[in-house]
Coordinates of all heavy atoms in Angstrom, one line a residue:
M14 N 33.3 -14.7 28.0 CA 32.5 -15.8 28.8 C 32.1 -16.7 27.7 O 31.6 -16.4 26.7 CB 31.5 -15.1 29.6 CG 30.7 -16.3 30.3 SD 29.4 -15.6 31.3 CE 30.1 -14.7 32.5
T15 N 32.4 -18.1 27.9 CA 31.9 -19.0 27.0 C 30.5 -19.4 27.3 O 30.0 -19.2 28.3 CB 32.9 -20.3 27.0 OG1 32.8 -20.8 28.3 CG2 34.4 -19.9 26.8
E16 N 30.0 -20.1 26.3 CA 28.6 -20.5 26.4 C 28.4 -21.5 27.5 O 27.4 -21.5 28.3 CB 28.2 -21.2 25.1 CG 26.7 -21.6 25.1 CD 25.7 -20.4 25.1 OE1 26.1 -19.4 24.6 OE2 24.7 -20.7 25.8
S17 N 29.4 -22.4 27.7 CA 29.2 -23.4 28.9 C 29.2 -22.8 30.2 O 28.5 -23.2 31.1 CB 30.2 -24.6 28.7 OG 31.6 -23.9 29.0
Q18 N 30.1 -21.8 30.4 CA 30.1 -21.0 31.8 C 28.8 -20.2 31.9 O 28.3 -20.3 33.1 CB 31.3 -20.1 31.7 CG 32.6 -20.8 31.9 CD 33.7 -19.8 31.7 OE1 33.6 -18.7 31.3 NE2 35.0 -20.3 32.2
D19 N 28.3 -19.7 30.9 CA 27.1 -18.9 31.1 C 25.9 -19.8 31.4 O 25.0 -19.5 32.2 CB 26.8 -18.2 29.7 CG 25.6 -17.3 29.8 OD1 25.5 -16.7 30.9 OD2 24.9 -17.0 28.8
T20 N 25.8 -21.1 30.7 CA 24.8 -22.0 31.1 C 24.9 -22.5 32.4 O 23.9 -22.7 33.2 CB 24.9 -23.1 30.0 OG1 24.8 -22.7 28.6 CG2 23.8 -24.2 30.1
G21 N 26.2 -22.8 32.9 CA 26.4 -23.2 34.3 C 25.9 -22.1 35.3 O 25.3 -22.5 36.3
A22 N 26.2 -20.9 35.0 CA 25.8 -19.8 36.0 C 24.2 -19.7 36.0 O 23.6 -19.6 37.1 CB 26.3 -18.5 35.5
R23 N 23.5 -19.9 34.8 CA 22.1 -19.8 34.7 C 21.5 -21.1 35.5 O 20.6 -21.0 36.2 CB 21.6 -19.8 33.4 CG 21.9 -18.5 32.7 CD 21.2 -18.6 31.3 NE 21.7 -17.3 30.6 CZ 21.7 -17.3 29.3 NH1 21.2 -18.1 28.6 NH2 22.1 -16.0 28.8
S24 N 22.1 -22.2 35.3 CA 21.6 -23.4 35.9 C 21.7 -23.3 37.5 O 20.9 -23.8 38.3 CB 22.4 -24.7 35.4 OG 22.2 -24.9 34.1
R25 N 22.8 -22.7 38.0 CA 23.1 -22.5 39.4 C 22.0 -21.6 40.0 O 21.5 -21.8 41.0 CB 24.5 -22.0 39.7 CG 25.5 -23.0 39.4 CD 25.6 -23.9 40.6 NE 26.7 -24.9 40.2 CZ 26.7 -26.1 40.7 NH1 25.7 -26.5 41.4 NH2 27.7 -26.9 40.3
L26 N 21.7 -20.6 39.2 CA 20.7 -19.6 39.6 C 19.3 -20.3 39.7 O 18.7 -20.1 40.7 CB 20.5 -18.4 38.6 CG 19.5 -17.4 38.9 CD1 19.8 -16.6 40.2 CD2 19.3 -16.4 37.7
V27 N 19.0 -21.0 38.8 CA 17.7 -21.8 38.8 C 17.6 -22.7 40.0 O 16.6 -22.8 40.7 CB 17.4 -22.6 37.5 CG1 16.3 -23.5 37.7 CG2 17.2 -21.5 36.4
I28 N 18.8 -23.4 40.2 CA 18.8 -24.3 41.4 C 18.7 -23.6 42.7 O 18.0 -24.0 43.5 CB 20.1 -25.1 41.3 CG1 20.1 -26.2 40.1 CG2 20.5 -25.9 42.7 CD1 21.5 -26.8 39.9
N29 N 19.3 -22.4 42.8 CA 19.2 -21.6 43.9 C 17.8 -21.1 44.2 O 17.3 -21.0 45.3 CB 20.2 -20.5 43.9 CG 21.6 -21.0 44.1 OD1 21.8 -22.1 44.7 ND2 22.6 -20.1 43.7
L30 N 17.2 -20.7 43.1 CA 15.7 -20.2 43.1 C 14.8 -21.3 43.6 O 13.9 -21.0 44.4 CB 15.3 -19.7 41.8 CG 15.9 -18.3 41.5 CD1 15.5 -17.9 40.1 CD2 15.6 -17.2 42.6
V31 N 15.0 -22.5 43.1 CA 14.3 -23.7 43.6 C 14.4 -23.9 45.0 O 13.4 -24.3 45.8 CB 14.6 -25.0 42.7 CG1 14.0 -26.2 43.3 CG2 14.1 -24.8 41.3
G32 N 15.7 -23.7 45.6 CA 15.9 -23.8 46.9 C 15.2 -22.8 47.8 O 14.7 -23.2 48.8
V33 N 15.2 -21.6 47.3 CA 14.6 -20.5 48.0 C 13.1 -20.8 48.0 O 12.4 -20.6 49.1 CB 14.8 -19.2 47.4 CG1 13.9 -18.0 47.9 CG2 16.3 -18.8 47.6
V34 N 12.4 -21.2 47.0 CA 11.0 -21.6 47.0 C 10.7 -22.7 48.0 O 9.8 -22.7 48.7 CB 10.5 -22.0 45.6 CG1 9.2 -22.6 45.7 CG2 10.5 -20.7 44.7
G35 N 11.6 -23.7 48.0 CA 11.4 -24.8 49.0 C 11.6 -24.4 50.4 O 10.8 -24.8 51.2
I36 N 12.5 -23.5 50.7 CA 12.6 -23.0 52.0 C 11.4 -22.1 52.4 O 10.8 -22.2 53.5 CB 13.9 -22.2 52.2 CG1 15.1 -23.2 52.2 CG2 13.9 -21.4 53.5 CD1 16.4 -22.5 52.2
L37 N 11.0 -21.2 51.4 CA 10.0 -20.3 51.8 C 8.6 -20.9 51.9 O 7.8 -20.6 52.8 CB 10.0 -19.1 50.7 CG 9.0 -17.9 50.9 CD1 9.4 -17.2 52.2 CD2 9.1 -17.1 49.7
F38 N 8.3 -21.8 51.0 CA 6.9 -22.4 51.0 C 6.9 -23.9 51.5 O 5.8 -24.4 51.3 CB 6.3 -22.2 49.6 CG 6.1 -20.8 49.2 CD1 6.8 -20.2 48.2 CD2 5.1 -20.1 49.9 CE1 6.6 -18.8 47.9 CE2 4.9 -18.7 49.6 CZ 5.6 -18.1 48.6
G39 N 8.0 -24.3 51.9 CA 8.1 -25.7 52.4 C 8.5 -25.8 53.8 O 7.7 -26.3 54.7
V40 N 9.6 -25.3 54.1 CA 10.2 -25.5 55.5 C 9.5 -24.5 56.4 O 9.1 -24.8 57.6 CB 11.7 -25.2 55.4 CG1 12.3 -25.1 56.9 CG2 12.4 -26.3 54.6
L41 N 9.4 -23.1 56.0 CA 8.9 -22.1 56.9 C 7.4 -22.4 57.3 O 7.1 -22.2 58.5 CB 9.1 -20.7 56.4 CG 10.4 -20.3 56.4 CD1 10.5 -18.8 55.7 CD2 11.2 -20.3 57.7
P42 N 6.6 -22.9 56.4 CA 5.2 -23.2 56.9 C 5.1 -24.4 57.9 O 4.4 -24.3 58.8 CB 4.5 -23.6 55.5 CG 5.2 -23.0 54.5 CD 6.6 -22.9 54.9
I43 N 6.1 -25.3 57.6 CA 6.0 -26.4 58.6 C 6.5 -26.0 60.0 O 6.0 -26.4 61.0 CB 6.9 -27.6 58.0 CG1 6.3 -28.2 56.9 CG2 7.2 -28.6 59.1 CD1 7.2 -29.2 56.1
V44 N 7.5 -25.1 60.0 CA 8.0 -24.5 61.3 C 6.9 -23.7 61.9 O 6.7 -23.8 63.1 CB 9.2 -23.7 61.0 CG1 9.6 -22.8 62.3 CG2 10.4 -24.5 60.6
R45 N 6.1 -22.9 61.1 CA 5.1 -22.1 61.6 C 3.9 -22.9 62.2 O 3.5 -22.7 63.3 CB 4.4 -21.2 60.5 CG 3.2 -20.5 61.1 CD 2.5 -19.7 59.9 NE 1.5 -18.8 60.5 CZ 0.2 -19.1 60.6 NH1 -0.2 -20.2 60.0 NH2 -0.7 -18.3 61.2
Y46 N 3.7 -24.1 61.6 CA 2.6 -25.0 62.1 C 3.1 -25.7 63.4 O 2.3 -25.9 64.3 CB 2.1 -26.0 61.1 CG 1.4 -25.4 59.9 CD1 1.6 -26.0 58.6 CD2 0.5 -24.5 60.1 CE1 0.9 -25.5 57.6 CE2 -0.2 -24.0 59.1 CZ -0.1 -24.5 57.8 OH -0.8 -24.0 56.7
L47 N 4.2 -26.1 63.4 CA 4.9 -26.8 64.6 C 5.0 -25.9 65.8 O 4.6 -26.3 66.9 CB 6.3 -27.3 64.3 CG 6.3 -28.6 63.4 CD1 7.7 -29.0 63.0 CD2 5.6 -29.8 64.1
L48 N 5.5 -24.7 65.5 CA 5.7 -23.8 66.7 C 4.6 -22.7 66.9 O 4.6 -21.9 67.7 CB 7.0 -23.0 66.5 CG 8.2 -23.8 66.3 CD1 9.5 -23.0 66.1 CD2 8.4 -24.8 67.6
D49 N 3.5 -22.6 66.0 CA 2.5 -21.9 66.1 C 2.9 -20.4 66.1 O 2.4 -19.6 67.0 CB 1.5 -22.0 67.4 CG 0.1 -21.5 67.1 OD1 -0.3 -21.3 66.0 OD2 -0.5 -21.2 68.2
L50 N 3.7 -20.0 65.1 CA 4.2 -18.6 65.0 C 3.4 -17.8 64.1 O 3.1 -18.2 63.1 CB 5.7 -18.7 64.5 CG 6.7 -19.5 65.2 CD1 8.0 -19.6 64.5 CD2 6.9 -18.8 66.7
S51 N 3.0 -16.6 64.5 CA 2.2 -15.8 63.7 C 2.8 -15.0 62.7 O 2.3 -14.6 61.7 CB 1.3 -14.8 64.6 OG 2.2 -14.0 65.3
Y52 N 4.1 -14.7 62.9 CA 4.9 -13.9 61.9 C 5.3 -14.6 60.6 O 6.0 -14.1 59.8 CB 6.0 -13.2 62.6 CG 7.0 -14.0 63.3 CD1 8.1 -14.6 62.8 CD2 6.8 -14.2 64.7 CE1 8.9 -15.4 63.5 CE2 7.7 -14.9 65.5 CZ 8.8 -15.6 64.9 OH 9.6 -16.3 65.5
F53 N 5.0 -15.9 60.4 CA 5.3 -16.6 59.2 C 4.0 -16.8 58.4 O 3.9 -17.7 57.6 CB 5.9 -18.0 59.5 CG 7.3 -18.0 59.9 CD1 7.9 -19.0 60.5 CD2 8.2 -16.9 59.5 CE1 9.2 -19.0 60.9 CE2 9.5 -16.9 59.8 CZ 10.0 -18.0 60.5
E54 N 2.9 -16.0 58.6 CA 1.6 -16.1 57.9 C 1.8 -15.9 56.4 O 1.0 -16.6 55.7 CB 0.7 -15.1 58.5 CG 0.3 -15.4 59.9 CD -0.8 -14.4 60.3 OE1 -1.1 -13.5 59.6 OE2 -1.2 -14.5 61.5
L55 N 2.7 -15.2 55.9 CA 3.0 -15.0 54.5 C 3.3 -16.4 53.9 O 2.9 -16.7 52.7 CB 4.1 -14.0 54.2 CG 4.6 -14.0 52.8 CD1 3.5 -13.3 51.9 CD2 5.9 -13.3 52.8
T56 N 4.1 -17.2 54.6 CA 4.4 -18.6 54.0 C 3.4 -19.5 53.8 O 3.4 -20.4 53.1 CB 5.6 -19.2 54.8 OG1 5.2 -19.4 56.0 CG2 6.7 -18.2 54.8
T57 N 2.3 -19.4 54.7 CA 1.2 -20.3 54.6 C 0.1 -19.8 53.8 O -1.0 -20.4 53.6 CB 0.6 -20.7 56.0 OG1 0.2 -19.4 56.7 CG2 1.7 -21.3 56.8
A58 N 0.1 -18.6 53.3 CA -1.0 -17.9 52.5 C -1.4 -18.9 51.3 O -2.7 -18.9 51.1 CB -0.6 -16.6 52.0
P59 N -0.6 -19.4 50.6 CA -1.0 -20.3 49.5 C -1.8 -21.5 49.9 O -2.6 -22.1 49.1 CB 0.3 -20.8 48.8 CG 1.3 -19.8 49.2 CD 0.9 -19.4 50.5
Y60 N -1.7 -21.9 51.1 CA -2.3 -23.1 51.7 C -3.7 -22.8 52.5 O -4.4 -23.7 52.8 CB -1.4 -24.0 52.5 CG -0.1 -24.1 51.8 CD1 1.1 -23.7 52.6 CD2 0.1 -24.7 50.6 CE1 2.3 -23.8 52.0 CE2 1.3 -24.8 50.0 CZ 2.5 -24.3 50.8 OH 3.7 -24.5 50.1
D61 N -3.8 -21.5 52.9 CA -5.0 -21.2 53.8 C -6.4 -21.6 53.2 O -7.3 -21.8 53.8 CB -4.9 -19.8 54.2 CG -3.8 -19.5 55.1 OD1 -3.2 -20.5 55.7 OD2 -3.3 -18.4 55.3
W62 N -6.5 -21.4 51.8 CA -7.7 -21.6 51.2 C -8.2 -23.1 51.2 O -9.3 -23.4 51.0 CB -7.7 -21.1 49.8 CG -6.8 -22.0 48.8 CD1 -5.4 -21.7 48.7 CD2 -7.1 -23.1 48.0 NE1 -4.9 -22.7 47.7 CE2 -5.9 -23.5 47.5 CE3 -8.2 -23.8 47.9 CZ2 -5.9 -24.6 46.6 CZ3 -8.2 -24.9 46.9 CH2 -7.1 -25.3 46.4
L63 N -7.2 -23.9 51.5 CA -7.6 -25.4 51.6 C -8.3 -25.7 52.9 O -9.1 -26.6 53.0 CB -6.3 -26.3 51.6 CG -5.6 -26.2 50.2 CD1 -4.2 -26.9 50.4 CD2 -6.4 -26.9 49.2
E64 N -8.1 -24.9 53.9 CA -8.8 -25.0 55.2 C -8.6 -26.3 55.8 O -9.4 -26.9 56.4 CB -10.3 -24.6 55.2 CG -10.5 -23.2 54.6 CD -12.1 -22.9 54.6 OE1 -12.9 -23.8 54.9 OE2 -12.3 -21.9 54.2
L65 N -7.4 -26.8 55.8 CA -7.0 -28.1 56.4 C -6.7 -27.9 57.9 O -6.2 -26.9 58.3 CB -5.7 -28.7 55.6 CG -5.9 -29.0 54.1 CD1 -4.5 -29.3 53.6 CD2 -6.8 -30.0 53.9
E66 N -7.0 -28.9 58.6 CA -6.8 -29.0 60.1 C -5.9 -30.1 60.4 O -5.9 -31.1 59.8 CB -8.1 -28.9 60.8 CG -8.9 -27.7 60.5 CD -10.2 -27.7 61.3 OE1 -10.5 -28.6 62.0 OE2 -11.1 -26.7 60.9
G67 N -5.4 -30.0 61.6 CA -4.6 -31.0 62.2 C -3.3 -31.4 61.4 O -2.7 -30.6 60.9
A68 N -3.0 -32.6 61.3 CA -1.8 -33.0 60.7 C -1.9 -32.9 59.1 O -1.0 -32.8 58.5 CB -1.6 -34.5 60.9
M69 N -3.2 -32.8 58.6 CA -3.2 -32.6 57.2 C -2.7 -31.3 56.6 O -2.4 -31.1 55.5 CB -4.8 -32.7 56.8 CG -5.3 -34.2 56.8 SD -4.3 -35.2 55.7 CE -4.8 -34.6 54.0
R70 N -2.7 -30.3 57.4 CA -2.1 -29.0 57.0 C -0.6 -29.0 56.7 O 0.0 -28.2 56.1 CB -2.4 -27.9 58.0 CG -1.9 -28.0 59.4 CD -2.3 -27.1 60.3 NE -1.7 -27.4 61.6 CZ -1.7 -26.6 62.6 NH1 -2.1 -25.4 62.6 NH2 -1.2 -27.1 63.8
F71 N 0.1 -30.1 57.2 CA 1.4 -30.3 56.9 C 1.6 -30.8 55.4 O 2.8 -30.7 54.9 CB 2.2 -31.3 57.8 CG 2.3 -30.7 59.2 CD1 1.4 -31.1 60.3 CD2 3.3 -29.8 59.5 CE1 1.5 -30.5 61.5 CE2 3.5 -29.3 60.7 CZ 2.5 -29.6 61.8
L72 N 0.7 -31.5 54.8 CA 0.8 -32.2 53.6 C 1.2 -31.2 52.5 O 2.1 -31.5 51.8 CB -0.4 -32.9 53.2 CG -0.4 -33.8 52.0 CD1 0.6 -34.8 52.2 CD2 -1.8 -34.4 51.8
P73 N 0.5 -30.1 52.2 CA 0.9 -29.2 51.1 C 2.4 -28.7 51.2 O 3.2 -28.8 50.2 CB -0.1 -28.1 51.1 CG -1.3 -28.7 51.8 CD -0.8 -29.6 52.8
P74 N 2.8 -28.2 52.3 CA 4.1 -27.7 52.4 C 5.1 -28.8 52.3 O 6.1 -28.7 51.7 CB 4.3 -27.1 53.8 CG 2.9 -26.9 54.3 CD 2.0 -27.8 53.6
A75 N 4.8 -30.0 52.7 CA 5.8 -31.2 52.7 C 5.8 -31.5 51.1 O 7.0 -31.9 50.7 CB 5.2 -32.3 53.4
M76 N 4.7 -31.5 50.4 CA 4.8 -31.7 49.0 C 5.6 -30.7 48.2 O 6.3 -31.2 47.3 CB 3.3 -31.8 48.4 CG 2.6 -33.0 48.8 SD 0.8 -33.0 48.5 CE 0.8 -32.5 46.8
V77 N 5.5 -29.6 48.6 CA 6.3 -28.5 47.9 C 7.8 -28.7 48.2 O 8.6 -28.6 47.4 CB 5.9 -27.0 48.4 CG1 6.9 -26.0 48.0 CG2 4.5 -26.8 47.9
L78 N 8.1 -29.1 49.5 CA 9.6 -29.3 49.9 C 10.1 -30.5 49.1 O 11.2 -30.4 48.7 CB 9.5 -29.5 51.5 CG 11.0 -29.7 52.0 CD1 11.8 -28.5 51.7 CD2 10.8 -29.9 53.5
V79 N 9.3 -31.5 49.1 CA 9.9 -32.8 48.4 C 10.0 -32.4 46.9 O 11.1 -32.9 46.3 CB 9.0 -33.9 48.7 CG1 9.2 -35.1 47.8 CG2 9.0 -34.4 50.1
G80 N 9.0 -31.9 46.4 CA 9.2 -31.5 44.9 C 10.4 -30.5 44.7 O 11.0 -30.8 43.6
C81 N 10.6 -29.6 45.5 CA 11.8 -28.7 45.2 C 13.1 -29.5 45.5 O 14.0 -29.3 44.7 CB 11.7 -27.5 46.2 SG 10.5 -26.3 45.8
I82 N 13.1 -30.4 46.4 CA 14.3 -31.2 46.6 C 14.6 -32.1 45.4 O 15.8 -32.1 44.8 CB 14.3 -32.0 47.9 CG1 14.4 -31.2 49.2 CG2 15.3 -33.1 47.9 CD1 14.0 -31.9 50.4
V83 N 13.6 -32.7 44.9 CA 13.7 -33.6 43.7 C 14.1 -32.8 42.5 O 15.1 -33.1 41.7 CB 12.5 -34.4 43.4 CG1 12.5 -35.1 42.1 CG2 12.2 -35.3 44.6
L84 N 13.5 -31.7 42.3 CA 13.9 -30.8 41.1 C 15.3 -30.3 41.2 O 16.0 -30.3 40.2 CB 12.8 -29.7 41.0 CG 13.0 -28.7 39.8 CD1 12.9 -29.4 38.5 CD2 12.0 -27.5 39.9
A85 N 15.7 -29.8 42.4 CA 17.0 -29.3 42.5 C 18.1 -30.5 42.4 O 19.1 -30.2 41.6 CB 17.3 -28.7 44.0
Y86 N 17.8 -31.7 42.7 CA 18.6 -32.8 42.6 C 18.8 -33.2 41.1 O 19.9 -33.3 40.6 CB 18.1 -34.0 43.4 CG 18.9 -35.3 43.1 CD1 20.2 -35.4 43.7 CD2 18.5 -36.3 42.3 CE1 20.9 -36.6 43.5 CE2 19.2 -37.4 42.0 CZ 20.5 -37.6 42.7 OH 21.2 -38.7 42.5
V87 N 17.6 -33.2 40.4 CA 17.7 -33.6 39.0 C 18.4 -32.4 38.2 O 19.3 -32.8 37.4 CB 16.2 -33.6 38.4 CG1 16.2 -33.7 36.9 CG2 15.6 -34.9 39.0
L88 N 18.2 -31.1 38.5 CA 19.0 -30.2 37.9 C 20.5 -30.1 38.1 O 21.3 -29.9 37.2 CB 18.4 -28.8 38.3 CG 17.0 -28.4 37.8 CD1 16.5 -27.1 38.4 CD2 17.0 -28.3 36.2
E89 N 20.8 -30.5 39.3 CA 22.2 -30.6 39.8 C 22.8 -31.8 39.1 O 24.0 -31.7 38.6 CB 22.4 -30.8 41.3 CG 23.8 -30.8 41.8 CD 24.3 -29.5 41.8 OE1 23.6 -28.4 42.1 OE2 25.5 -29.4 41.6
Q90 N 22.1 -33.0 38.9 CA 22.7 -34.1 38.2 C 22.9 -33.7 36.7 O 23.9 -34.1 36.2 CB 21.8 -35.3 38.4 CG 21.8 -35.8 39.7 CD 23.1 -36.3 40.2 OE1 23.9 -36.9 39.4 NE2 23.5 -35.8 41.4
R91 N 21.9 -33.0 36.1 CA 22.0 -32.7 34.7 C 23.2 -31.7 34.5 O 24.0 -31.8 33.6 CB 20.8 -32.0 34.3 CG 20.7 -31.8 32.8 CD 19.6 -31.1 32.3 NE 19.7 -29.6 32.6 CZ 18.9 -28.7 32.4 NH1 17.7 -29.0 31.9 NH2 19.1 -27.4 32.6
L92 N 23.4 -30.8 35.5 CA 24.6 -29.9 35.4 C 25.9 -30.5 35.5 O 26.9 -30.2 34.8 CB 24.4 -28.8 36.5 CG 25.5 -27.6 36.4 CD1 25.4 -26.8 35.2 CD2 25.4 -26.8 37.7
S93 N 26.0 -31.5 36.5 CA 27.3 -32.2 36.6 C 27.5 -33.2 35.5 O 28.7 -33.5 35.2 CB 27.3 -33.0 37.9 OG 26.3 -34.1 37.8
R94 N 26.5 -33.6 34.7 CA 26.7 -34.5 33.5 C 27.2 -33.7 32.4 O 28.0 -34.2 31.5 CB 25.4 -35.2 33.3 CG 25.4 -36.3 32.3 CD 24.2 -37.0 32.0 NE 23.1 -35.9 32.2 CZ 21.8 -36.3 32.3 NH1 21.5 -37.5 32.4 NH2 20.9 -35.3 32.4
D95 N 26.8 -32.4 32.2 CA 27.3 -31.7 31.1 C 28.6 -31.2 31.2 O 29.5 -31.2 31.8 CB 26.4 -30.3 31.0 CG 25.0 -30.7 30.5 OD1 24.7 -31.8 30.0 OD2 24.1 -29.9 30.7

């Protein structure tokens, strides 16, 4: 295995992990808030201490989701450039 293939595999792994974090702590909390589902409580645990109500509780998961999308895009562009 050459060094470039190994770096590509590691970069893909990091991109996939960023995607998992975006889904787990971005998309699923938004779905939980929209549908009022109790079995996604694990995904909102990092935001519960903020005690936000109403539409403001969508802000932290949306920020995580946007951050993950941007990070994955930047990593993907860097990988395709190499």
Side-chain angles (χ1 to χ4, degrees):
M14 184 180 288
T15 65
E16 182 65 32
S17 65
Q18 289 176 341
D19 189 36
T20 303
R23 287 183 190 162
S24 297
R25 292 282 179 208
L26 177 66
V27 171
I28 291 169
N29 289 336
L30 289 176
V31 168
V33 167
V34 168
I36 290 171
L37 188 62
F38 295 111
V40 174
L41 291 180
I43 292 172
V44 169
R45 178 183 187 258
Y46 290 144
L47 285 174
L48 301 178
D49 198 25
L50 301 172
S51 63
Y52 51 87
F53 284 157
E54 288 180 2
L55 170 72
T56 64
T57 60
Y60 315 123
D61 288 341
W62 66 274
L63 295 171
E64 298 179 4
L65 298 173
E66 294 181 5
M69 285 303 294
R70 60 187 176 163
F71 291 99
L72 187 61
M76 289 171 43
V77 169
L78 181 60
V79 169
C81 287
I82 290 170
V83 169
L84 182 60
Y86 177 77
V87 168
L88 290 173
E89 187 72 34
Q90 292 300 315
R91 190 183 77 179
L92 183 64
S93 67
R94 191 176 35 197
D95 289 343

